[in-house]
Amino acid sequence: MIQVPQYTRDLLPADFSNDPSAFVHAFQRVETVARASFHRYGFQEIRTPIFERTELFARGVGLETDIVSKEMFTWLDRGGDDHEGESLTLRPENTAPVVRAYIQHQMWTKSDLVKLFYIGPQFRRERGQRGRFRQFFQVGAEVLGSNDHPAIDAEAIEMLMGLLAELGIGDTELRINSVGDEECRPRFVEMIRRELADKIHLMSEATRQRYETNPLRILDSKAEEDQPFIENLPSTIELLNTECRDHFEAVCRYLESRGIRFRIEPRLVRGLDYYTKTVFEVVSFSDAIGAQNALLGGGRYDKLAETLGGPPTKGFGFALGLDRIVMALPETTAGPGRPDLFIVHLGAAAFEKGLLLAREARTAGIACAIDFEKRSPKSALRLANKLKARFALILGENELESGQWTLRSMADSSQETIPASDWLASILAAIGSVRNAE
RNA sequence: GCGGGUGUAGCUCAGUCGGUUAGAGCGCUUGGUUGUGGCCCAAGAGGUCGUGGGUUCGAGCCCCAUCACUCGCCCCA
């Protein structure tokens, strides 16, 4: 048997799965709610290719990041035409592609504030565990333009918290920090190197490695043996320059004025190199979530566009892990697919008639089911019942001869006779009244 | 890349000290009298016990290997 590739999965209709966190309808629901929310906040949808030139992520996300250094699905395209074979990569995240599109289409010429959102699969070649897959789905958004007003950050976070509330997701915590800009970074690095110089040999191997390559990342080390040292480090917030500090404090003030609760997490450093100033994440404490409990994360990236060859552009963005959001949903939403009408056909002539009636019903907007087996009335009604059909239209020889058809209500077993000449109107009326009552 | 756990029917699982024909519930099909669902009752279909080797008179059960899945580390959403 050929199965899905390792650490990927099928999202299925509820009928075919007993895992609510893989119900395709739950994903659809989150997407629908998110789209409506994006619309209210003035975001427009963008769809970028599922693969990009490898260089985009190498430059945008950063060569030293785990994502780029060991988690990308990358291949060399075969040459041909006038192209040499070029290195392509399944997108591991969607911010760099959106910024690429912003630059490529010179969006700044149309508007000085561009707000875009995306929904789609992302790919990382990771090990896989609860809430982590090699193909996973993100809903994300980017605000691009000349302005880095802290209210932009706060407004996006406000939208996210509203979205979680709308979805009924509670038991979460918003964590926020500032990683400063190119002026603050060297101070962080210098401070970390200075403070840890005589202790680094006692710390974890990963941390010793980062001491050389990326000292900032030491801050969010989870290694047990590192904790005492990290906790004693001075707060990086103290080292922010005036501009970054004012910005951070303003973001916090804007959140407070909206009644949004958050925790300042001085050790929150995100694993993508492009972040500047604000970084944040929301974690879930739900039992349904595994150890990977970050539902969403994001931040400001005021240098990314330039890194990718565009004009100086301020940026703020975030991504929600759809797979994890769905795990955190309070209840499993039953999907649609309940037929209004099931056609019971008895005999070959009735079957032929039924096929045409199904077409007419569907054209009239009725969810109509008909099956292709010869069935006894008992078996056909069993099936209608299993499908939770609201009504069964019974077509047998009697009905065909008399032109008086039988419409059975599955809810209360009552039956009425409807004239063939006016059957659609009769059924529409019946369905309408039942739907109102439901 | 590194650890732990689990593999028996479509699904969830039981299977005693290693013993003869491997079970249950759910689901599926059919039937319980003429053309009428749900509840109930009955019958039926469905298994190379993940795979390969080994130990043994005898392996679903013990041992080894392997594969798959799963949870965690790392990292991230």
Side-chain angles (χ1 to χ4, degrees):
Chain A
M1 179 176 48
I2 300 174
Q3 293 179 289
V4 291
Q6 254 192 336
Y7 310 124
T8 67
R9 59 179 182 164
D10 296 314
L11 303 177
L12 299 167
D15 295 359
F16 306 107
S17 168
N18 49 23
D19 176 8
S21 73
F23 286 176
V24 74
H25 199 70
F27 280 71
Q28 287 174 352
R29 180 173 161 237
V30 176
E31 290 164 12
T32 302
V33 172
R35 279 200 160 86
S37 185
F38 282 129
H39 177 71
R40 293 197 299 273
Y41 279 83
F43 287 84
Q44 292 185 286
E45 182 167 357
I46 181 171
R47 302 190 189 190
T48 63
I50 223 166
F51 58 91
E52 296 270 357
R53 293 175 201 260
T54 303
E55 186 189 4
L56 173 64
F57 303 113
R59 281 167 60 183
V61 180
L63 278 173
E64 281 108 81
T65 60
D66 283 30
I67 290 175
V68 172
S69 65
K70 52 189 193 197
E71 293 177 358
M72 296 203 303
F73 287 100
T74 295
W75 71 98
L76 211 53
D77 191 31
R78 62 184 79 174
D81 301 335
D82 42 0
H83 287 286
E84 283 300 304
E86 59 188 347
S87 183
L88 300 174
T89 293
L90 290 180
R91 63 185 184 201
E93 58 98 57
N94 222 147
T95 295
V98 169
V99 173
R100 192 223 79 232
Y102 175 83
I103 297 166
Q104 181 172 338
H105 304 290
Q106 304 187 58
M107 293 187 190
W108 59 87
T109 61
K110 298 277 202 248
S111 169
D112 58 6
L113 190 69
V114 175
K115 300 168 87 171
L116 299 167
F117 78 91
Y118 59 86
I119 297 176
Q122 316 292 335
F123 306 85
R124 292 181 198 170
R125 199 182 176 289
E126 296 187 279
R127 188 61 154 66
Q129 70 191 68
R130 185 159 184 78
R132 196 174 66 182
F133 309 92
R134 287 189 170 182
Q135 171 173 301
F136 58 103
F137 292 84
Q138 285 189 333
V139 176
E142 317 294 342
V143 181
L144 296 158
S146 53
N147 200 330
D148 67 346
H149 199 287
I152 291 173
D153 308 31
E155 188 181 80
I157 293 171
E158 163 199 314
M159 189 189 79
L160 285 168
M161 300 315 282
L163 182 58
L164 292 180
E166 208 177 333
L167 290 168
I169 295 173
D171 211 8
T172 61
E173 181 178 87
L174 168 63
R175 297 171 177 169
I176 186 166
N177 189 26
S178 174
V179 294
D181 60 17
E182 68 273 26
E183 190 180 310
C184 313
R185 293 290 182 98
R187 297 193 209 169
F188 292 177
V189 171
E190 194 255 344
M191 179 275 284
I192 292 166
R193 286 218 168 108
R194 171 162 40 79
E195 293 289 324
L196 295 180
D198 57 338
K199 305 175 185 112
I200 188 68
H201 63 284
L202 298 171
M203 301 181 73
S204 69
E205 190 189 327
T207 292
R208 292 201 302 274
Q209 176 85 34
R210 286 177 187 151
Y211 187 81
E212 305 300 331
T213 58
N214 197 350
L216 205 53
R217 297 294 310 287
I218 292 175
L219 291 178
D220 68 351
S221 164
K222 273 113 192 163
E224 197 71 36
E225 64 265 42
D226 294 348
Q227 296 314 307
F229 304 111
I230 295 170
E231 280 161 24
N232 283 328
L233 289 175
S235 169
T236 52
I237 293 171
E238 308 294 326
L239 296 174
L240 292 173
N241 63 25
T242 316
E243 184 196 330
C244 291
R245 192 164 179 163
D246 288 350
H247 191 275
F248 182 60
E249 283 170 0
V251 172
C252 292
R253 266 203 318 282
Y254 278 124
L255 291 176
E256 277 160 9
S257 72
R258 286 163 166 78
I260 294 171
R261 299 175 50 145
F262 59 93
R263 173 201 290 272
I264 295 176
E265 192 76 63
R267 266 170 288 286
L268 178 61
V269 179
R270 321 231 74 241
L272 294 80
D273 285 352
Y274 50 61
Y275 285 118
T276 54
K277 293 184 180 165
T278 312
V279 292
F280 71 101
E281 67 181 14
V282 170
V283 296
S284 165
F285 302 117
S286 162
D287 291 338
I289 297 279
Q292 304 303 318
N293 67 348
L295 294 182
L296 61 93
R300 177 160 288 288
Y301 47 88
D302 292 339
K303 291 291 164 200
L304 179 55
E306 281 168 87
T307 305
L308 295 177
T313 306
K314 312 291 187 183
F316 184 87
F318 58 80
L320 295 85
L322 242 184
D323 306 80
R324 292 180 190 172
I325 295 282
V326 167
M327 283 196 296
L329 288 178
E331 69 216 31
T332 61
T333 49
R338 184 178 175 189
D340 297 310
L341 184 67
F342 182 92
I343 297 180
V344 175
H345 50 84
L346 307 171
F351 177 58
E352 297 301 325
K353 183 70 177 171
L355 291 174
L356 297 176
L357 294 180
R359 172 169 174 270
E360 282 184 57
R362 289 161 177 163
T363 304
I366 296 170
C368 177
I370 182 167
D371 85 315
F372 305 97
E373 300 294 325
K374 259 192 255 179
R375 289 182 190 273
S376 66
K378 177 201 274 264
S379 168
L381 281 167
R382 272 186 182 167
L383 181 56
N385 186 61
K386 195 177 74 176
L387 297 174
K388 296 186 168 65
R390 292 183 173 85
F391 291 92
L393 176 64
I394 298 170
L395 283 181
E397 285 172 16
N398 300 345
E399 282 81 1
L400 291 186
E401 269 173 35
S402 65
Q404 298 291 311
W405 300 348
T406 305
L407 184 65
R408 180 183 181 86
S409 161
M410 296 301 287
D412 61 14
S413 300
S414 65
Q415 294 191 169
E416 63 176 303
T417 302
I418 59 173
S421 56
D422 195 30
W423 72 283
L424 252 183
S426 304
I427 287 175
L428 281 168
I431 289 169
S433 66
V434 167
R435 276 190 170 166
N436 283 339
E438 276 172 3

